[in-house]
Amino acid sequence: MKSEVQEHNVSNTSGSSDDIHERKSLESSTNSIILPPEKHRLFWIFIVNKEIGYLNLISYLLACFLTICLVVYLSIVQPFVLTVLLNTSENLGNLTGSLALYDEIIALPATLLWGILSDRIGRRPVYSMGFICLGSALILYSYVKNVYPQLLLCRLLFSLGSAACTCMMTGTLGDVAGGQRERGRVSAIVGMFSGFGALVSGMVLLKLPYQLGKLAKDETEGIQLALTIVGGVAIGMAVIFAFTMPNISARRRQGGVVGYFNNFFIRKTDPTDVAADTVAKEPRYEEEGPKNPFKLLKYGVLAGRDPRVALAYFSSFVARADTVLFTSYVSLWVVQHYVDQGWCRPGRRCDAAAGDVHPLTGMGQGLSLAFAPIFGFASEKFKRSTVLAVAGIIGAVGSLPFAFTKEAPAHKSNYAFVCLIGIGQIGMIVTGMTLVNGTYIDPKYRGSVAGVFSFCGAISIMIMAKLGGYLFDVWMRGAPFVLMGIAHLLVAVLSIYVRIVSPKLEKRDREMLEREEAERKENAKPTEMADTL
C-alpha cells in the first residue's frame, strides 16, 4: 500500500545537515534549487522515489543479487578452470593476479564511461548491456583452450560487464531511495541481496560443476556446462531487466536510448522546451545539466574534494578489493594447499578442496548477509563515518590473524576470522554506497560520481590482486589478506578524521543552503507580483 511521506521542514536550521540537504544538492553547477522528489512507501518499509514501483524495486534488487553472484562465481570457479580445463599447476597465484590486473585495466576507463553514459541515456540500458557482457563471457569461458589469449579475452569481456553492473548498482541506489534518511535502509537491503548473491555463488553454484560432471561422467564437461548455464541465465535476465529496471536520470527528456538519440539529432530552439504532453508550468525537480562528458567526468572527480565523498571513494577501493580478493584467494589458497600436500593432482577436479571452500566462503558471506541490515540501520542512526570506522576495524581484526595462521586455511580455528572479514566487507559496501549517495551529490551527476566510485574499486583490484598474487607465490599464502588488513586500518583512520571534521562541513552546508534559499525567495517576489497584476 502506498502512502505519501511528508517532506522535511528545511526552515529548521537547528536540524542536522542530512535533514536540510533533503531540499537540494549544494554542488550544482547550474546553481539551481533541487526540490525533493515526492516519495511513497513500498513493502511497508522502504520509502522510495515516486517513480519507482514494486516491479522496479524487485528488479533492482535482483540485479544487485545477480551482479555480485556472477562476480564472485567467476572468482571462485577460475582456479578450477585453470587446474582442470587448462591443466595448469604452477604460478597459479601469479596467473590469478595477472588476469585480475588486466581485468581492471579495462575496468578503469569502463567504469567512468558507463557512469557518464548512464547520465545520458539512463541506468537501465547500461545495466542490461552489462549483464549481456557478463553472460557472454561466462559462456565463452567454457571453450577456452589456453590462458593467453583466449582466457584473457574472456576475462576482459567479463570486466566490461562487471564494470557496468557494479557502477549502476551504486548509481541506481540514489535514484531509488526517496530521501537522505531512507538511503540507509535501501543500502541495507541492497547489501543483503548482494551478500545473498555471494552466498548462493559460494554455496550453491560452486557445486553445480560437480553435479553436472557426475551426470555427464566427465569433470571437464561438468565445468563447461555449469559456465554455459550460468552465462545463459545472465543473458536472459538482461533481456528482462531491459523492460523492468528503474530508469530515472536527470539527463533524459523523453527517456532511455530513444530519447537520447531524439534529443541528439533534433535540437530544440528553447532549452527549456519539453515534450508536448508535458504541462509547461509543472515544476521540475532537477534542472538539466551539461551534456559534455568531460564536464560530467570532471564533476565526479572534483566531488572528492569533499572529505565525505573522498571517504566513500576510498571505502569503494577497499570494499571492491575485499569482494574479489576474499573469494579468489580463499579458493586459491585451499586448492594450492591440497596440491602442495600432494592430495590433489593438476588436471583433475579436487572435490576435497571444493568441499573445504564451501564452509569458508559460506560462513563469510552468510555473516555479511546477516549484518547488512544492521549496518544499514546504523548508518541512519549514527554518523556514517563512525559506522565505516567500525567496519574497517572489524575487517582488519579478521584479515590479519587469518593471514598469519599456522593451520590449514580451512581449519575450524580460522572460521571466526573469515566471519569477521565478511562482516567488515558488508559494512564497507553498505556504508560506502550510502556515503556516495548523500545529498551533497547533485542528482544530475549521480552516475558520474558512481563511475568514479567504481573506478576507485577497479584501481584497488588492479593493485591488490596483482600484488597479492605475486606475494602469494613468493612470500606466503596469506599475503593477500595482509594487504586487506592494512587497507581496512587505513579506512578506519580516514573515517575517524572525517568524523572529526563533520560538524564543520555540516555548518558550511547549512549556511550555503540558507543563503541560496534566501536568494530563491528574493527572485520569486517579482514573479509573484507580475502574476498578481
Side-chain angles (χ1 to χ4, degrees), residues 187-412:
S187 296
I189 191 64
V190 168
M192 286 186 64
F193 272 78
S194 301
F196 187 55
L199 183 64
V200 169
S201 182
M203 298 294 289
V204 178
L205 294 185
L206 186 58
K207 298 180 181 179
L208 188 60
Y210 174 69
Q211 298 295 335
L212 293 175
K214 287 177 61 178
L215 292 175
K217 298 182 179 180
D218 181 45
E219 296 171 338
T220 299
E221 188 174 348
I223 295 176
Q224 291 173 331
L225 287 173
L227 289 168
T228 302
I229 291 172
V230 175
V233 170
I235 294 175
M237 293 304 296
V239 176
I240 296 174
F241 291 150
F243 299 96
T244 61
M245 281 287 292
N247 198 35
I248 300 173
S249 174
R251 200 80 29 334
R252 69 183 162 96
R253 297 179 182 179
Q254 298 178 10
V257 180
V258 175
Y260 168 69
F261 283 106
N262 285 342
N263 289 317
F264 183 84
F265 290 108
I266 305 174
R267 187 176 301 276
K268 296 178 174 63
T269 57
D270 183 359
T272 62
D273 189 22
V274 293
D277 59 347
T278 304
V279 179
K281 291 187 178 181
E282 183 180 355
R284 292 186 298 166
Y285 297 114
E286 298 173 0
E287 296 292 335
E288 187 170 347
K291 293 185 176 182
N292 189 323
F294 294 103
K295 290 184 178 179
L296 294 170
L297 176 60
K298 179 181 178 181
Y299 181 91
V301 173
L302 294 182
R305 293 180 298 182
D306 188 315
R308 293 163 294 190
V309 181
L311 177 59
Y313 286 168
F314 191 62
S315 72
S316 173
F317 181 95
V318 178
R320 183 80 185 276
D322 270 0
T323 303
V324 176
L325 288 182
F326 176 72
T327 53
S328 295
Y329 286 103
V330 164
S331 176
L332 181 62
W333 191 356
V334 172
V335 172
Q336 189 66 57
H337 176 74
Y338 274 79
V339 173
D340 292 342
Q341 298 297 321
W343 299 335
C344 291
R345 291 180 297 169
R348 299 296 301 273
R349 176 175 172 81
C350 186
D351 295 330
D356 280 348
V357 171
H358 291 162
L360 282 176
T361 57
M363 290 186 69
Q365 302 301 340
L367 262 293
S368 68
L369 179 65
F371 273 78
I374 296 176
F375 278 105
F377 176 80
S379 65
E380 289 185 357
K381 298 299 181 181
F382 305 101
K383 294 289 185 181
R384 285 155 193 164
S385 53
T386 303
V387 179
L388 197 57
V390 172
I393 293 172
I394 292 174
V397 171
S399 299
L400 294 175
F402 182 57
F404 293 99
T405 182
K406 300 299 183 182
E407 305 290 343
H411 193 271
K412 291 182 179 180

Side-chain angles (χ1 to χ4, degrees), residues 384-437:
R384 285 155 193 164
S385 53
T386 303
V387 179
L388 197 57
V390 172
I393 293 172
I394 292 174
V397 171
S399 299
L400 294 175
F402 182 57
F404 293 99
T405 182
K406 300 299 183 182
E407 305 290 343
H411 193 271
K412 291 182 179 180
S413 62
N414 293 323
Y415 285 1
F417 301 137
V418 170
C419 291
L420 291 175
I421 293 173
I423 294 170
Q425 173 185 313
I426 199 64
M428 293 283 181
I429 294 172
V430 171
T431 314
M433 287 195 300
T434 307
L435 272 171
V436 84
N437 280 287

Side-chain angles (χ1 to χ4, degrees), residues 43-125:
F43 298 110
W44 300 281
I45 300 175
F46 306 108
I47 300 175
V48 300
N49 190 296
K50 67 170 184 177
E51 297 184 35
I52 302 298
Y54 286 97
L55 184 59
N56 297 138
L57 180 60
I58 292 172
S59 297
Y60 172 54
L61 296 179
L62 286 176
C64 295
F65 162 82
L66 193 58
T67 296
I68 302 302
C69 183
L70 295 176
V71 171
V72 171
Y73 181 67
L74 182 67
S75 299
I76 293 176
V77 81
Q78 184 167 275
F80 298 102
V81 173
L82 290 171
T83 56
V84 178
L85 292 186
L86 302 181
N87 196 22
T88 303
S89 60
E90 298 180 353
N91 297 322
L92 289 176
N94 191 41
L95 281 175
T96 301
S98 296
L99 289 171
L101 172 65
Y102 301 136
D103 178 305
E104 298 310 317
I105 289 176
I106 295 297
L108 285 175
T111 51
L112 298 175
L113 295 175
W114 287 127
I116 292 171
L117 185 63
S118 73
D119 279 340
R120 303 289 295 271
I121 66 175
R123 323 285 184 226
R124 181 191 295 169

